[in-house]
Amino acid sequence: MENIKRTKKTIINSVTGIISQSILMILGFVVRKIFITNIGVDYLGINGLFVNIMELLNLAELGIGSAIIYNLYSALAGKKEEDINTLMYLYKYIYTRIGIFIIVVGLICSLFIENLIKDNTIKIEIIRIAFLIQILSTSTTYFFAYKRSLLNADQNNYVSVLVDTTINVVMSLIRIFILVYTKNYILYLIIQVLQNIISNLIISYICNKKYKYLKNSYDVEKLKEFKKNVTKDMKDIFVSKIGSFIYFSTDNIIISYLIGITPIGILSNYNLLLTTVSGFINQLSNPVLAGLGNFINTSNDRDKLIDIFRKFNFIIYTISSFCFVGFVTLSNMFIEVWAGEIYKLNQYIVLIVGINFLIDKIQIPLWQLLYVKGRFDIEKKASIVSSIVNISLSVMLTLKFGLIGVLLGTTIGNIVFTVYRLRLLNSDVFKKAKYSYLKDIIFYVSVTLIQLGICSYATNIVCKQATWMNVIIGAIICILVLIITTILFYRKSVTYIHIKNEMLYPMICSISKRGIVND
């Protein structure tokens, strides 16, 4: 019964997330196009740089949120209201102080922000004001957003998704009006701050209604115990967060300092495409995280856990590889039609950006398994090694090769991270099952390379000019090739057969029965 409940919640959260992501995807591209047309690519580059600086300041979070959520899984599984309330108090106490710290440090950083921008063409006053608004947006998240973590840990993601989507739609319409009629970048950013505050206040109100015991007093002794546990996990998670920051967030800072902000603006359009598809993948994977946490805290069936992991790994990899092939094959054509030819990147750069995306997504099931098992020490060791490789190579290769160099440094660093993480994983979670995982990944990557070759060759022959019609035709070609080759190559795979029999067939039968009933 508990398994059915977990599965039902996972499906509800995933479906809600996918619908939400579809709406936000369309809005995101509309707003971005209007932004480029009315304000320009340099402001887009400034936006990308500020996002990365905010992620640097977010290191002040020290991994506390992840450590507390890990402890929440056990408390929620056992319905221990007093423990949940104590953990949430600890969450609020720490996050309020982090928010204040970010404001203070941000104010100091604003005095030197122009030193990070090479060949700047925007007034320093505008840059400083924009930076301070971004600081406010980031800090207010810590003051109000911690309660959404309780909803997510309790597999009620759909609540926060519905609130965020509704507010985002309204605020996006206001942003469009501002961009078209005022062309004011500062007003545009202020709306973003208001969006964050309103969404988080509504979610906080919903949490208070749903979990009434949050208003109760906390247990002082348990607070001391949780502080001790969280502090232990926090040390390992913090190092992992530094590694994640170096991988995800240093590229724009290096590009801005060594090359300029214009390439950041151009690259950000490609990142928007990948962020959009990442949103879809995350909407599928995030609900599984809470389900895995619940399963591990209520079952000791290791074989069942490995079986779930392999199926999850196949699904995430297949979806990610579809997105990778589509991105590498069609993104330049899409960018030329949508934004203009001047915003296109070299195809080799596009390929490297796509590879970085695929490597990152391959690791989602692996990371989630480590996370719900609380093995933050493994993340720490892998992060230290990969961070050194990543930052060193990115700087050296950027000086020698420019934009493609920083992306290559990130690629090599992430490959090192993946390999090192797997080597460490052998001692605890997988043991002999590690080799099955490696065999799966090698086979999956081989299939993806074949799919990429076929799709690229077919679209180059059929779609010779950049038009919306050719983008659609190219997408249809890719979808058909990917579906046919996936069935062809995986038809004898045990994991594929299990997924087909346990998930796809029942889903099709359910839809068919509903259609018959409705008729």
Side-chain angles (χ1 to χ4, degrees), residues 172-247:
S172 292
L173 295 175
I174 296 173
R175 276 197 289 267
I176 289 171
F177 178 86
I178 288 170
L179 290 171
V180 172
Y181 291 101
T182 71
K183 296 179 173 58
N184 191 309
Y185 179 55
I186 301 302
L187 279 178
Y188 173 88
L189 292 178
I190 290 171
I191 296 301
Q192 182 177 308
V193 177
L194 290 175
Q195 177 180 320
N196 289 343
I197 293 173
I198 293 169
S199 289
N200 288 320
L201 284 175
I202 292 172
I203 289 169
S204 178
Y205 174 79
I206 292 170
C207 272
N208 288 337
K209 288 287 185 182
K210 184 174 179 62
Y211 307 99
K212 296 186 184 298
Y213 53 81
L214 291 178
K215 297 179 181 179
N216 298 338
S217 59
Y218 60 89
D219 187 305
V220 177
E221 291 303 316
K222 286 194 174 182
L223 181 63
K224 292 179 183 177
E225 180 187 341
F226 285 136
K227 274 185 180 178
K228 184 179 178 181
N229 294 337
V230 167
T231 302
K232 176 183 175 295
D233 291 334
M234 183 186 73
K235 293 174 183 176
D236 294 329
I237 298 172
F238 176 60
V239 176
S240 176
K241 277 187 168 288
I242 292 176
S244 295
F245 167 75
I246 289 173
Y247 172 63

Coordinates of all heavy atoms in Angstrom, one line a residue, residues 172-247:
S172 N 5.5 37.3 -15.8 CA 6.1 37.3 -17.1 C 5.3 38.3 -18.0 O 5.9 39.0 -18.8 CB 6.1 35.9 -17.7 OG 6.9 35.0 -17.0
L173 N 4.0 38.3 -17.9 CA 3.2 39.3 -18.7 C 3.6 40.7 -18.3 O 3.7 41.6 -19.2 CB 1.7 39.0 -18.5 CG 1.2 37.7 -19.0 CD1 -0.3 37.5 -18.6 CD2 1.4 37.5 -20.5
I174 N 3.8 40.9 -17.0 CA 4.2 42.3 -16.6 C 5.6 42.6 -17.1 O 5.9 43.7 -17.6 CB 4.2 42.4 -15.1 CG1 2.7 42.2 -14.5 CG2 4.7 43.7 -14.6 CD1 2.6 42.1 -13.0
R175 N 6.5 41.6 -17.1 CA 7.9 41.8 -17.6 C 7.8 42.2 -19.1 O 8.6 43.1 -19.6 CB 8.7 40.6 -17.4 CG 9.3 40.5 -16.0 CD 10.5 39.5 -16.0 NE 10.0 38.2 -16.0 CZ 9.7 37.4 -15.0 NH1 9.9 37.9 -13.8 NH2 9.3 36.2 -15.1
I176 N 7.0 41.5 -19.9 CA 6.9 41.8 -21.3 C 6.4 43.2 -21.5 O 7.0 43.9 -22.4 CB 5.9 40.8 -22.0 CG1 6.5 39.4 -22.0 CG2 5.5 41.2 -23.4 CD1 5.6 38.3 -22.4
F177 N 5.4 43.6 -20.7 CA 4.9 45.0 -20.8 C 6.1 46.0 -20.6 O 6.2 47.0 -21.3 CB 3.8 45.2 -19.8 CG 3.2 46.6 -19.8 CD1 2.2 47.0 -20.7 CD2 3.7 47.6 -18.9 CE1 1.7 48.3 -20.8 CE2 3.2 48.9 -18.9 CZ 2.2 49.2 -19.8
I178 N 6.9 45.8 -19.5 CA 8.0 46.6 -19.2 C 9.0 46.7 -20.3 O 9.5 47.8 -20.6 CB 8.6 46.2 -17.8 CG1 7.6 46.5 -16.7 CG2 9.9 46.9 -17.6 CD1 8.0 45.9 -15.3
L179 N 9.4 45.5 -20.8 CA 10.4 45.5 -21.9 C 9.9 46.2 -23.1 O 10.7 46.9 -23.7 CB 10.7 44.0 -22.2 CG 11.5 43.2 -21.1 CD1 11.5 41.7 -21.5 CD2 12.9 43.8 -21.0
V180 N 8.7 46.1 -23.5 CA 8.2 46.7 -24.7 C 8.0 48.2 -24.6 O 8.4 48.9 -25.5 CB 6.9 46.0 -25.2 CG1 6.2 46.7 -26.4 CG2 7.1 44.5 -25.5
Y181 N 7.4 48.6 -23.5 CA 7.0 50.0 -23.3 C 7.9 50.9 -22.6 O 7.9 52.1 -22.7 CB 5.6 50.1 -22.7 CG 4.5 49.5 -23.6 CD1 4.0 48.2 -23.4 CD2 4.0 50.2 -24.7 CE1 3.0 47.7 -24.3 CE2 3.1 49.7 -25.6 CZ 2.5 48.5 -25.3 OH 1.6 48.0 -26.2
T182 N 8.8 50.3 -21.8 CA 9.7 51.1 -21.0 C 11.2 50.8 -21.3 O 12.1 51.7 -21.1 CB 9.5 51.0 -19.5 OG1 10.0 49.7 -19.1 CG2 8.1 51.2 -19.1
K183 N 11.5 49.6 -21.8 CA 12.9 49.1 -22.0 C 13.8 49.4 -20.8 O 14.9 49.7 -21.0 CB 13.4 49.8 -23.3 CG 12.7 49.5 -24.6 CD 13.3 50.2 -25.8 CE 12.6 49.8 -27.1 NZ 11.2 49.9 -27.1
N184 N 13.2 49.2 -19.6 CA 13.9 49.5 -18.4 C 14.4 48.2 -17.7 O 13.6 47.4 -17.2 CB 13.0 50.3 -17.5 CG 13.8 50.9 -16.3 OD1 14.5 50.2 -15.6 ND2 13.6 52.2 -16.1
Y185 N 15.7 48.0 -17.7 CA 16.3 46.8 -17.2 C 16.0 46.7 -15.7 O 15.8 45.6 -15.1 CB 17.8 46.7 -17.5 CG 18.5 45.6 -17.0 CD1 18.1 44.3 -17.3 CD2 19.6 45.7 -16.2 CE1 18.8 43.2 -16.8 CE2 20.4 44.6 -15.7 CZ 19.9 43.4 -16.0 OH 20.6 42.3 -15.5
I186 N 16.1 47.8 -15.0 CA 16.0 47.8 -13.5 C 14.6 47.4 -13.1 O 14.4 46.6 -12.2 CB 16.3 49.2 -13.0 CG1 17.8 49.6 -13.3 CG2 16.1 49.2 -11.4 CD1 18.8 48.6 -12.8
L187 N 13.6 48.0 -13.8 CA 12.2 47.6 -13.5 C 11.9 46.1 -13.8 O 11.2 45.4 -13.0 CB 11.2 48.4 -14.4 CG 10.9 49.8 -13.9 CD1 9.9 50.5 -14.9 CD2 10.2 49.8 -12.5
Y188 N 12.6 45.6 -14.8 CA 12.5 44.2 -15.2 C 13.0 43.3 -14.0 O 12.4 42.3 -13.6 CB 13.3 43.9 -16.4 CG 13.5 42.5 -16.8 CD1 12.6 41.9 -17.7 CD2 14.6 41.8 -16.4 CE1 12.8 40.5 -18.1 CE2 14.8 40.4 -16.8 CZ 13.9 39.8 -17.6 OH 14.1 38.5 -18.0
L189 N 14.1 43.7 -13.4 CA 14.7 43.0 -12.3 C 13.8 43.1 -11.0 O 13.7 42.1 -10.2 CB 16.1 43.5 -12.0 CG 17.1 43.2 -13.0 CD1 18.5 43.8 -12.6 CD2 17.3 41.7 -13.3
I190 N 13.2 44.2 -10.8 CA 12.4 44.4 -9.6 C 11.2 43.5 -9.6 O 10.8 42.9 -8.6 CB 11.9 45.9 -9.5 CG1 13.1 46.8 -9.2 CG2 10.8 46.1 -8.5 CD1 12.8 48.3 -9.2
I191 N 10.6 43.3 -10.8 CA 9.5 42.3 -11.0 C 9.9 40.9 -10.6 O 9.2 40.2 -10.0 CB 8.9 42.4 -12.4 CG1 8.3 43.7 -12.7 CG2 7.9 41.3 -12.6 CD1 7.2 44.1 -11.8
Q192 N 11.2 40.6 -10.9 CA 11.7 39.3 -10.5 C 11.8 39.1 -9.0 O 11.4 38.0 -8.5 CB 13.1 39.1 -11.1 CG 13.8 37.8 -10.9 CD 15.1 37.7 -11.6 OE1 15.2 37.9 -12.8 NE2 16.1 37.3 -10.8
V193 N 12.2 40.2 -8.3 CA 12.2 40.1 -6.8 C 10.8 39.9 -6.3 O 10.6 39.1 -5.4 CB 12.8 41.4 -6.3 CG1 12.8 41.4 -4.7 CG2 14.3 41.6 -6.8
L194 N 9.9 40.7 -6.8 CA 8.5 40.6 -6.3 C 7.9 39.2 -6.6 O 7.2 38.6 -5.7 CB 7.6 41.6 -7.0 CG 7.8 43.1 -6.6 CD1 7.0 44.0 -7.5 CD2 7.5 43.3 -5.2
Q195 N 8.3 38.6 -7.7 CA 7.8 37.2 -8.0 C 8.3 36.2 -7.0 O 7.5 35.4 -6.5 CB 8.3 36.8 -9.4 CG 8.0 35.4 -9.8 CD 8.5 35.0 -11.2 OE1 8.5 35.8 -12.1 NE2 9.0 33.8 -11.3
N196 N 9.6 36.3 -6.6 CA 10.1 35.4 -5.6 C 9.4 35.6 -4.3 O 9.1 34.6 -3.6 CB 11.6 35.7 -5.4 CG 12.5 35.2 -6.6 OD1 12.0 34.4 -7.4 ND2 13.7 35.7 -6.7
I197 N 9.3 36.8 -3.8 CA 8.7 37.1 -2.5 C 7.2 36.6 -2.5 O 6.8 35.9 -1.5 CB 8.7 38.6 -2.2 CG1 10.2 39.0 -2.0 CG2 7.9 38.9 -0.9 CD1 10.4 40.5 -1.8
I198 N 6.4 36.9 -3.5 CA 5.0 36.5 -3.5 C 4.8 35.0 -3.5 O 4.1 34.5 -2.7 CB 4.3 37.2 -4.7 CG1 4.2 38.7 -4.5 CG2 2.9 36.6 -4.9 CD1 3.8 39.4 -5.8
S199 N 5.6 34.3 -4.4 CA 5.5 32.9 -4.4 C 5.9 32.2 -3.1 O 5.1 31.3 -2.6 CB 6.5 32.3 -5.5 OG 6.0 32.6 -6.8
N200 N 6.9 32.7 -2.5 CA 7.4 32.1 -1.2 C 6.4 32.4 -0.1 O 6.2 31.5 0.8 CB 8.8 32.5 -0.9 CG 9.8 31.9 -1.8 OD1 9.7 30.7 -2.1 ND2 10.8 32.7 -2.2
L201 N 5.8 33.5 -0.1 CA 4.9 33.9 1.0 C 3.6 33.0 0.9 O 3.1 32.5 1.9 CB 4.5 35.4 0.9 CG 5.5 36.4 1.4 CD1 5.0 37.8 1.2 CD2 5.8 36.1 2.9
I202 N 3.1 32.8 -0.4 CA 2.0 31.9 -0.6 C 2.2 30.5 -0.2 O 1.4 29.8 0.5 CB 1.5 32.0 -2.0 CG1 1.0 33.4 -2.4 CG2 0.4 30.9 -2.3 CD1 0.7 33.6 -3.9
I203 N 3.4 30.0 -0.5 CA 3.8 28.6 -0.2 C 4.0 28.5 1.3 O 3.6 27.5 1.9 CB 5.1 28.2 -0.9 CG1 4.8 28.0 -2.4 CG2 5.7 26.9 -0.3 CD1 6.0 27.8 -3.3
S204 N 4.5 29.5 2.0 CA 4.6 29.5 3.4 C 3.3 29.4 4.1 O 3.1 28.7 5.1 CB 5.4 30.7 3.9 OG 5.5 30.8 5.3
Y205 N 2.3 30.2 3.6 CA 0.9 30.1 4.1 C 0.3 28.8 4.0 O -0.3 28.2 4.9 CB 0.1 31.2 3.4 CG -1.4 31.2 3.7 CD1 -1.8 31.8 4.9 CD2 -2.3 30.6 2.9 CE1 -3.2 31.8 5.3 CE2 -3.6 30.5 3.2 CZ -4.1 31.1 4.4 OH -5.4 31.1 4.7
I206 N 0.5 28.1 2.8 CA -0.1 26.8 2.5 C 0.6 25.8 3.5 O -0.1 24.9 4.0 CB 0.2 26.4 1.1 CG1 -0.6 27.3 0.1 CG2 -0.1 24.9 0.8 CD1 -0.3 27.1 -1.3
C207 N 1.9 25.9 3.7 CA 2.5 25.0 4.6 C 2.0 25.1 6.0 O 1.8 24.1 6.7 CB 4.0 25.2 4.6 SG 4.9 24.4 3.4
N208 N 1.8 26.3 6.5 CA 1.2 26.5 7.8 C -0.1 25.9 8.0 O -0.5 25.4 9.1 CB 1.2 28.0 8.1 CG 2.6 28.6 8.4 OD1 3.5 27.9 8.7 ND2 2.7 29.9 8.1
K209 N -0.9 26.0 6.9 CA -2.3 25.4 6.9 C -2.2 23.8 6.9 O -3.0 23.2 7.6 CB -3.1 25.9 5.7 CG -3.5 27.3 5.8 CD -4.7 27.5 6.9 CE -5.2 28.9 6.9 NZ -6.3 29.0 7.9
K210 N -1.3 23.3 6.1 CA -1.2 21.9 5.9 C -0.5 21.2 7.1 O -0.9 20.1 7.5 CB -0.5 21.6 4.6 CG -0.4 20.1 4.2 CD 0.2 19.9 2.9 CE 0.3 18.4 2.5 NZ -1.0 17.7 2.5
Y211 N 0.5 21.8 7.6 CA 1.3 21.2 8.7 C 1.1 22.1 9.9 O 2.0 22.9 10.3 CB 2.7 21.1 8.4 CG 3.0 20.3 7.1 CD1 3.3 21.0 5.9 CD2 3.0 18.9 7.0 CE1 3.5 20.4 4.7 CE2 3.2 18.3 5.8 CZ 3.5 19.0 4.7 OH 3.7 18.3 3.5
K212 N -0.1 22.0 10.6 CA -0.4 22.9 11.7 C 0.6 22.8 12.8 O 0.7 23.7 13.6 CB -1.8 22.6 12.1 CG -2.9 22.9 11.1 CD -4.3 22.7 11.6 CE -5.3 22.9 10.5 NZ -5.3 24.3 9.9
Y213 N 1.2 21.6 13.0 CA 2.1 21.4 14.1 C 3.4 22.3 14.0 O 4.2 22.4 14.9 CB 2.5 19.9 14.3 CG 3.0 19.3 13.0 CD1 4.4 19.5 12.6 CD2 2.2 18.5 12.2 CE1 4.9 18.9 11.5 CE2 2.7 17.9 11.0 CZ 4.0 18.1 10.7 OH 4.5 17.5 9.6
L214 N 3.6 23.0 12.9 CA 4.8 23.8 12.7 C 4.7 25.0 13.7 O 5.7 25.6 14.0 CB 4.9 24.3 11.3 CG 5.2 23.3 10.2 CD1 5.2 24.0 8.8 CD2 6.6 22.6 10.5
K215 N 3.5 25.3 14.2 CA 3.4 26.4 15.1 C 3.7 26.0 16.6 O 3.7 26.8 17.5 CB 2.0 27.0 15.0 CG 1.6 27.6 13.7 CD 0.2 28.1 13.6 CE -0.1 28.7 12.3 NZ -1.5 29.2 12.2
N216 N 3.8 24.7 16.8 CA 4.1 24.2 18.1 C 5.5 24.5 18.5 O 6.4 24.8 17.7 CB 3.9 22.7 18.2 CG 2.5 22.3 17.9 OD1 1.5 23.1 18.0 ND2 2.3 21.0 17.5
S217 N 5.8 24.4 19.8 CA 7.2 24.7 20.3 C 8.1 23.5 19.9 O 7.6 22.4 19.8 CB 7.2 24.9 21.8 OG 6.7 23.8 22.4
Y218 N 9.4 23.8 19.8 CA 10.3 22.7 19.4 C 10.9 22.1 20.6 O 10.9 22.7 21.7 CB 11.4 23.3 18.5 CG 12.2 24.4 19.1 CD1 13.3 24.1 19.8 CD2 11.8 25.7 18.9 CE1 14.1 25.2 20.4 CE2 12.5 26.8 19.5 CZ 13.7 26.5 20.3 OH 14.4 27.5 20.8
D219 N 11.5 20.9 20.5 CA 12.2 20.2 21.5 C 13.6 20.6 21.6 O 14.4 20.4 20.7 CB 12.1 18.7 21.3 CG 12.6 17.9 22.4 OD1 13.7 18.1 22.9 OD2 11.8 17.0 22.9
V220 N 14.0 21.2 22.8 CA 15.4 21.8 22.9 C 16.4 20.7 22.8 O 17.5 20.8 22.2 CB 15.5 22.5 24.3 CG1 16.9 23.0 24.5 CG2 14.5 23.7 24.3
E221 N 16.2 19.5 23.4 CA 17.2 18.4 23.4 C 17.3 17.9 22.0 O 18.5 17.6 21.6 CB 16.7 17.3 24.4 CG 16.8 17.7 25.8 CD 18.2 18.1 26.3 OE1 19.2 17.5 25.8 OE2 18.3 19.2 26.9
K222 N 16.2 17.7 21.3 CA 16.3 17.2 20.0 C 17.0 18.2 19.0 O 17.6 17.8 18.1 CB 14.9 16.8 19.4 CG 14.4 15.6 20.1 CD 13.2 15.0 19.3 CE 12.7 13.7 19.9 NZ 11.6 13.1 19.2
L223 N 16.8 19.5 19.3 CA 17.4 20.5 18.5 C 18.9 20.4 18.6 O 19.6 20.5 17.6 CB 17.0 21.9 19.0 CG 17.6 23.1 18.3 CD1 17.1 23.1 16.8 CD2 17.2 24.4 18.9
K224 N 19.4 20.1 19.8 CA 20.9 19.9 20.0 C 21.4 18.7 19.2 O 22.4 18.7 18.6 CB 21.2 19.7 21.5 CG 21.0 21.0 22.3 CD 21.3 20.7 23.8 CE 21.0 22.0 24.6 NZ 21.3 21.7 26.1
E225 N 20.6 17.6 19.3 CA 20.9 16.4 18.5 C 21.0 16.6 17.0 O 21.9 16.2 16.3 CB 19.9 15.3 18.9 CG 20.2 14.0 18.2 CD 19.1 13.0 18.4 OE1 18.3 13.1 19.4 OE2 19.0 12.0 17.7
F226 N 19.9 17.3 16.5 CA 19.9 17.6 15.1 C 21.0 18.5 14.6 O 21.5 18.3 13.5 CB 18.5 18.2 14.7 CG 17.4 17.2 14.7 CD1 16.1 17.5 15.3 CD2 17.5 15.9 14.1 CE1 15.1 16.6 15.2 CE2 16.5 15.0 14.1 CZ 15.3 15.3 14.7
K227 N 21.3 19.5 15.5 CA 22.4 20.4 15.2 C 23.7 19.6 15.0 O 24.5 19.9 14.0 CB 22.6 21.4 16.3 CG 21.7 22.6 16.2 CD 22.1 23.6 17.2 CE 21.2 24.9 17.1 NZ 21.6 25.9 18.2
K228 N 23.9 18.6 15.8 CA 25.1 17.8 15.7 C 25.1 17.0 14.5 O 26.2 16.9 13.7 CB 25.2 16.9 17.0 CG 26.4 16.0 17.0 CD 26.4 15.1 18.3 CE 27.7 14.3 18.3 NZ 27.6 13.4 19.5
N229 N 24.0 16.3 14.1 CA 23.9 15.5 12.9 C 24.1 16.4 11.6 O 24.8 16.0 10.7 CB 22.6 14.8 12.9 CG 22.4 13.8 13.9 OD1 23.4 13.3 14.5 ND2 21.2 13.4 14.3
V230 N 23.4 17.5 11.6 CA 23.4 18.4 10.5 C 24.8 19.0 10.3 O 25.3 19.1 9.1 CB 22.4 19.6 10.6 CG1 22.6 20.7 9.6 CG2 21.0 19.0 10.5
T231 N 25.5 19.3 11.4 CA 26.9 19.9 11.3 C 27.8 18.8 10.7 O 28.6 19.2 9.8 CB 27.4 20.3 12.7 OG1 26.5 21.2 13.2 CG2 28.8 20.9 12.6
K232 N 27.6 17.6 11.1 CA 28.5 16.5 10.5 C 28.3 16.3 9.0 O 29.2 16.3 8.2 CB 28.2 15.2 11.2 CG 28.9 14.0 10.7 CD 28.5 12.7 11.4 CE 29.1 11.5 10.7 NZ 28.7 11.3 9.3
D233 N 27.0 16.3 8.6 CA 26.7 16.1 7.1 C 27.1 17.4 6.4 O 27.6 17.3 5.2 CB 25.2 15.8 6.9 CG 24.9 14.4 7.4 OD1 25.7 13.6 7.4 OD2 23.7 14.3 7.8
M234 N 26.9 18.5 7.0 CA 27.2 19.8 6.4 C 28.6 20.0 5.9 O 28.9 20.5 4.8 CB 26.8 21.0 7.3 CG 27.0 22.4 6.8 SD 26.7 23.5 8.1 CE 28.3 23.4 9.0
K235 N 29.6 19.5 6.7 CA 31.0 19.6 6.3 C 31.2 18.9 5.0 O 32.0 19.4 4.1 CB 31.8 19.0 7.4 CG 31.8 19.8 8.7 CD 32.6 19.0 9.8 CE 32.5 19.8 11.1 NZ 33.1 19.0 12.2
D236 N 30.6 17.7 4.8 CA 30.8 17.0 3.5 C 30.1 17.6 2.4 O 30.6 17.7 1.3 CB 30.3 15.5 3.7 CG 31.2 14.7 4.7 OD1 32.4 15.0 4.8 OD2 30.6 13.9 5.4
I237 N 28.8 18.1 2.6 CA 28.0 18.7 1.6 C 28.6 20.0 1.1 O 28.6 20.3 -0.1 CB 26.6 18.9 2.1 CG1 25.9 17.6 2.4 CG2 25.8 19.6 1.0 CD1 24.6 17.7 3.1
F238 N 29.2 20.8 2.0 CA 29.8 22.1 1.6 C 30.9 21.9 0.6 O 30.9 22.6 -0.4 CB 30.3 22.8 2.9 CG 31.0 24.1 2.5 CD1 30.3 25.1 1.9 CD2 32.3 24.3 2.9 CE1 30.9 26.3 1.6 CE2 33.0 25.5 2.6 CZ 32.2 26.5 1.9
V239 N 31.8 20.9 0.8 CA 32.8 20.7 -0.2 C 32.2 20.3 -1.5 O 32.7 20.7 -2.6 CB 33.8 19.6 0.3 CG1 34.8 19.3 -0.8 CG2 34.5 20.0 1.6
S240 N 31.2 19.5 -1.5 CA 30.5 19.1 -2.7 C 29.9 20.3 -3.4 O 29.9 20.4 -4.6 CB 29.4 18.0 -2.4 OG 28.6 17.7 -3.5
K241 N 29.3 21.2 -2.6 CA 28.7 22.4 -3.2 C 29.8 23.3 -3.9 O 29.5 23.9 -4.9 CB 28.0 23.2 -2.1 CG 26.6 22.7 -1.8 CD 25.9 23.6 -0.9 CE 24.4 23.3 -0.8 NZ 23.7 23.7 -2.0
I242 N 30.9 23.3 -3.3 CA 32.0 24.1 -3.9 C 32.3 23.5 -5.3 O 32.5 24.2 -6.3 CB 33.3 24.1 -3.1 CG1 33.0 24.9 -1.8 CG2 34.5 24.7 -3.8 CD1 34.2 24.9 -0.8
G243 N 32.4 22.1 -5.3 CA 32.6 21.4 -6.6 C 31.5 21.7 -7.6 O 31.8 22.0 -8.8
S244 N 30.3 21.7 -7.2 CA 29.1 22.0 -8.1 C 29.2 23.5 -8.6 O 28.9 23.7 -9.7 CB 27.8 21.8 -7.3 OG 27.7 20.5 -7.0
F245 N 29.6 24.4 -7.7 CA 29.7 25.8 -8.1 C 30.8 25.9 -9.2 O 30.6 26.6 -10.2 CB 30.1 26.7 -6.9 CG 30.5 28.0 -7.3 CD1 29.6 29.0 -7.7 CD2 31.9 28.4 -7.2 CE1 30.0 30.3 -8.1 CE2 32.3 29.6 -7.6 CZ 31.4 30.6 -8.1
I246 N 31.9 25.3 -9.0 CA 33.0 25.4 -9.9 C 32.6 24.8 -11.3 O 32.9 25.4 -12.3 CB 34.3 24.7 -9.4 CG1 34.9 25.5 -8.3 CG2 35.3 24.5 -10.5 CD1 36.0 24.9 -7.5
Y247 N 31.9 23.7 -11.2 CA 31.4 23.1 -12.5 C 30.3 24.0 -13.2 O 30.4 24.3 -14.4 CB 30.9 21.7 -12.3 CG 30.2 21.1 -13.5 CD1 30.9 20.9 -14.6 CD2 28.8 20.9 -13.5 CE1 30.3 20.4 -15.8 CE2 28.2 20.4 -14.6 CZ 29.0 20.1 -15.8 OH 28.4 19.6 -16.9

